[in-house]
Amino acid sequence: MAKHWWKALAVILLIYTIIAGFTIDIPIIGTNQQSSRGLFFHVPMWMCMYTMFSISVANSLLYLTKYDLKRDALAGAAGSVGVFFGVLGFSTGTLWATYTWGGTITGDAKQQLTAVALLIYMAYLVLRMSIPDIDKRARISAVFNIFAFALLIPLTYIIPRMVDSLHPGAAGSPTFASKDTDGGMKAVLYPAFIGWVLLSVWIYTLVVRYKKLELKNIFK
Amino acid sequence: MKSTAFQQTITLVKKDILLELRQKYALYGVLLYIISTVFVINLMIGKPEEKTWNALFWVVQLFVSVNAIAKSFLQESRGRLLYFYSLVHPRNFIIAKLIYNILLMAIMSVITLVCCILFMGNPIVNFPYFVGVIMLGGLSLSLLFTMLAAIAAQANQNAALMAIMGFPIILPLLTMLSNIARSSFNIVFQPGLPKMFLMLGAMDILIVGLSLILFPFLWKD
């Protein structure tokens, strides 16, 4: 059981996140009221998405150097888990935006560009489905995956830094402003990051195990 | 006889232009496509105001570039691609395709502009600026769609796939282009305009770099 300790850690951290996230005292700022608690669930989703997409692109790069079909299966699995977490992040964000910004889809640059980035990754998944030949699929989707990742970074990291955003802590920083976040919230947020990322890795390993059963002749 | 990379590229561009001039199918096909699209817009909303004009112009540009550039790889048969593969380095091949598509899109952009002015009126105040922007736009669109056409050509010559892959990627580029173009309709001060040009240029360089690095992998069949 020695190698499963991180799964237990994920469960403990997430239980802590959910219980503490809904019960601790948080500063009430204007119309935000209690909705600031969304921070513990919305922001970690993006961490999970970036983790998964990084795993995916790393495997694609490795595929193009060695042409090992296992790498392609890993890249595909990470891509789909990443899109899953991206959709969760987007929906928690839009839910919050509906009540605080006064509109589900606003003109906010970060929201729009994230939607674009998610669409690119969905195109990646569709591309994978559209090619029946397994070697061809591996090669073409690896190329597209690298292309997608190279666009993900400017879309979600560089351009949002250059324009104003409705996001909290915006006007300069695309992430939340760590300097003016309440200490109590930080005590929940940082464990939440670790817990959610561990959960995403856990889901990823499960998807990979399913793929291994599906592609028995590749994973010997 | 071994020829240099530069000569190979030039020869391939010449070959594409020659094929185009002989068949004339793509040129007239897309010409008809532009005219009918713009005419349909004219029938439906007549002469739109400048904001709508700008948006419609870029949407027409988007579909024109998909149609014009999808052809560049789809027209090559498997046998012919194999033949080129034995002759030239894939990098020279993709550079030649990029150059040819840029030239093609430059011509198409001018035709679209003329058609739009004919059928939808001319709200443009700063004409040279707008022509510059559409050339830049044609350049960006053709660079991106050339790479996507190369991917789609490998995936069973599927043109619908190109639209699925291309539209999300082209979205930020088109938004930037239409924002930049807005300055040519009325004389206003737009903050952040040089920054947008810089961003567009950076995107273009990124796409060219990626195409040069990734295309050789696509071609190993």
Side-chain angles (χ1 to χ4, degrees):
Chain A
M1 288 306 280
K3 62 179 179 178
H4 291 304
W5 61 269
W6 58 274
K7 291 179 188 172
L9 181 67
V11 172
I12 293 165
L13 284 177
L14 286 179
I15 290 173
Y16 166 71
T17 305
I18 291 166
I19 295 174
F22 281 114
T23 51
I24 55 157
D25 280 330
I26 57 165
I28 306 293
I29 307 163
T31 52
N32 276 6
Q33 299 290 340
Q34 299 290 332
S35 75
S36 306
R37 297 182 195 278
L39 185 75
F40 310 132
F41 305 98
H42 170 66
V43 184
M45 293 300 132
W46 301 120
M47 297 282 174
C48 299
M49 189 188 81
Y50 282 118
T51 313
M52 284 301 121
F53 286 165
S54 307
I55 293 175
S56 184
V57 78
N59 277 305
S60 284
L61 283 170
L62 285 172
Y63 174 78
L64 286 181
T65 52
K66 293 233 176 80
Y67 295 104
D68 179 6
L69 280 170
K70 263 183 232 169
R71 295 289 172 197
D72 174 60
L74 297 181
S80 51
V81 178
V83 169
F84 172 68
F85 277 97
V87 170
L88 284 182
F90 191 77
S91 44
T92 47
T94 43
L95 184 70
W96 186 76
T98 309
Y99 298 103
T100 49
W101 294 350
T104 307
I105 304 288
T106 50
D108 183 52
K110 241 186 261 180
Q111 196 185 24
Q112 285 173 339
L113 291 173
T114 318
V116 169
L118 276 176
L119 282 176
I120 294 174
Y121 270 90
M122 285 174 185
Y124 167 68
L125 296 181
V126 172
L127 180 72
R128 290 186 66 86
M129 286 181 238
S130 74
I131 308 167
D133 183 76
I134 194 164
D135 287 289
K136 202 173 204 184
R137 173 173 65 204
R139 208 183 54 242
I140 296 170
S141 56
V143 169
F144 187 76
N145 194 12
I146 296 167
F147 205 71
F149 194 78
L151 289 172
L152 175 77
I153 301 305
L155 281 183
T156 55
Y157 258 84
I158 300 172
I159 299 177
R161 271 177 203 273
M162 300 170 92
V163 291
D164 266 338
S165 170
L166 292 168
H167 270 81
S173 154
T175 49
F176 74 104
S178 56
K179 266 175 275 167
D180 42 272
T181 303
D182 175 63
M185 286 180 88
K186 273 187 195 168
V188 180
L189 186 62
Y190 291 132
F193 281 158
I194 302 167
W196 285 112
V197 169
L198 285 178
L199 182 74
S200 74
V201 175
W202 191 356
I203 294 175
Y204 163 67
T205 55
L206 290 179
V207 176
V208 170
R209 272 169 75 181
Y210 177 73
K211 284 258 160 92
K212 273 184 185 168
L213 290 175
E214 211 177 42
L215 308 164
K216 262 187 197 140
N217 45 349
I218 298 172
F219 290 93
K220 282 197 186 95
Chain B
M1 194 181 82
K2 270 244 180 275
S3 51
T4 63
F6 181 71
Q7 280 168 332
Q8 280 181 358
T9 312
I10 296 295
T11 316
L12 280 170
V13 174
K14 272 186 190 155
K15 171 230 118 195
D16 270 336
I17 293 172
L18 191 68
L19 266 182
E20 189 55 62
L21 289 177
R22 275 200 196 145
Q23 294 187 334
K24 293 204 179 80
Y25 140 79
L27 197 68
Y28 288 115
V30 176
L31 192 66
L32 205 60
Y33 186 89
I34 297 171
I35 293 174
S36 36
T37 314
V38 179
F39 188 57
V40 165
I41 294 170
N42 171 270
L43 287 179
M44 287 195 284
I45 54 171
K47 293 196 184 337
E49 57 183 286
E50 60 201 35
K51 218 173 171 183
T52 324
W53 195 98
N54 191 19
L56 286 172
F57 177 83
W58 289 107
V59 173
V60 172
Q61 274 283 77
L62 170 67
F63 283 94
V64 166
S65 63
V66 171
N67 276 284
I69 293 165
K71 207 194 96 298
S72 71
F73 276 89
L74 301 184
Q75 73 172 5
E76 311 275 16
S77 65
R78 282 199 87 73
R80 215 196 293 174
L81 279 176
L82 199 65
Y83 174 60
F84 288 134
Y85 186 60
S86 65
L87 283 182
V88 295
H89 190 272
R91 205 159 286 154
N92 299 336
F93 187 76
I94 190 75
I95 293 174
K97 283 284 182 201
L98 287 172
I99 294 173
Y100 169 71
N101 281 332
I102 289 168
L103 292 176
L104 186 70
M105 255 331 271
I107 297 169
M108 293 299 169
S109 305
V110 173
I111 296 171
T112 316
L113 180 62
V114 172
C115 283
C116 280
I117 288 174
L118 277 179
F119 287 104
M120 292 164 23
N122 183 6
I124 303 165
V125 181
N126 191 348
F127 203 78
Y129 177 79
F130 191 72
V131 173
V133 173
I134 66 166
M135 285 298 145
L136 196 65
L139 177 84
S140 312
L141 286 169
S142 56
L143 289 179
L144 185 61
F145 277 116
T146 307
M147 184 57 193
L148 291 173
I151 295 177
Q154 289 286 316
N156 306 330
Q157 310 272 329
N158 193 343
L161 199 63
M162 196 171 128
I164 298 171
M165 289 187 300
F167 286 2
I169 297 185
I170 207 73
L171 240 153
L173 271 181
L174 271 185
T175 331
M176 260 190 269
L177 281 169
S178 69
N179 275 334
I180 290 175
R182 205 169 288 162
S183 277
S184 54
F185 294 102
N186 33 28
I187 311 295
V188 285
F189 172 69
Q190 246 186 319
L193 198 60
K195 216 158 53 176
M196 276 200 276
F197 272 109
L198 208 70
M199 235 154 26
L200 203 61
M203 283 286 258
D204 285 349
I205 292 167
L206 180 78
I207 292 165
V208 173
L210 281 172
S211 314
L212 293 187
I213 296 165
L214 293 177
F215 186 72
F217 288 107
L218 270 183
W219 223 17
K220 276 178 193 160
D221 218 355

